[in-house]
Amino acid sequence: MKRLLFIPILLLTFSLVAQAQSKVTFNVNLTPMLKDSTFVPGRDYVQVTGSLSPISTRPVRLYDTNPVDSVYTAEVRFSSRYSNSELEYNFEIVHSEGKKKTEQLPRKVRLTNRELELPPLYFNAFAW
């Protein structure tokens, strides 16, 4: 009987831990880069990298889901262990030959175990 109760309790615990993650939607507006051809869709791509896992170990690629607005987006889930931690992140443009253009200053956001959608600021623009 104890074993039968243990399994549902274990499953409930794992589901609560999974729900406590921070989901961050990263957005970057590449309109100026598209206008001056420093970013060419299909040839180049944009990614986000940062100080906390998973983006500290492997950058995440952003995609333009609505080509009319030139906003590139990616959703990333962070472990609950980072609750109330400050994430430093940057966007990078990766050119077809592998050369990267990284933003000059780090952006920052505090993780709160909730969903957070970041505004689509311009690449390398820090006047906010």
Side-chain angles (χ1 to χ4, degrees):
M1 183 68 170
K2 289 181 183 179
R3 186 172 265 183
L4 289 175
L5 289 174
F6 176 73
I7 292 172
I9 292 171
L10 184 65
L11 292 173
L12 179 62
T13 303
F14 282 129
S15 77
L16 291 175
V17 169
Q19 292 174 1
Q21 295 179 339
S22 295
K23 181 177 104 176
V24 179
T25 303
F26 293 94
N27 294 295
V28 63
N29 189 327
L30 293 183
T31 300
M33 307 337 249
L34 291 163
K35 286 182 180 178
D36 68 8
S37 297
T38 55
F39 179 81
V40 179
R43 184 190 77 190
D44 306 327
Y45 63 91
V46 63
Q47 62 187 19
V48 63
T49 185
S51 60
L52 301 175
S53 181
I55 62 174
S56 64
T57 56
R58 184 177 41 136
V60 172
R61 197 173 202 170
L62 287 81
Y63 294 94
D64 191 359
T65 57
N66 185 9
V68 175
D69 62 7
S70 304
V71 173
Y72 285 70
T73 302
E75 289 182 357
V76 179
R77 293 185 186 275
F78 294 89
S79 170
S80 61
R81 72 174 180 239
Y82 296 127
S83 179
N84 206 30
S85 295
E86 186 173 75
L87 168 67
E88 288 190 10
Y89 68 97
N90 282 104
F91 296 108
E92 297 178 327
I93 292 175
V94 182
H95 298 285
S96 58
E97 66 274 1
K99 185 177 171 187
K100 293 179 186 176
K101 179 176 182 166
T102 304
E103 292 183 305
Q104 295 172 353
L105 298 173
R107 298 174 186 261
K108 297 177 183 180
V109 66
R110 184 151 308 273
L111 300 179
T112 60
N113 284 345
R114 294 191 184 118
E115 290 188 21
L116 175 64
E117 182 163 354
L118 301 173
L121 301 174
Y122 291 120
F123 181 89
N124 220 14
F126 292 93
W128 70 89

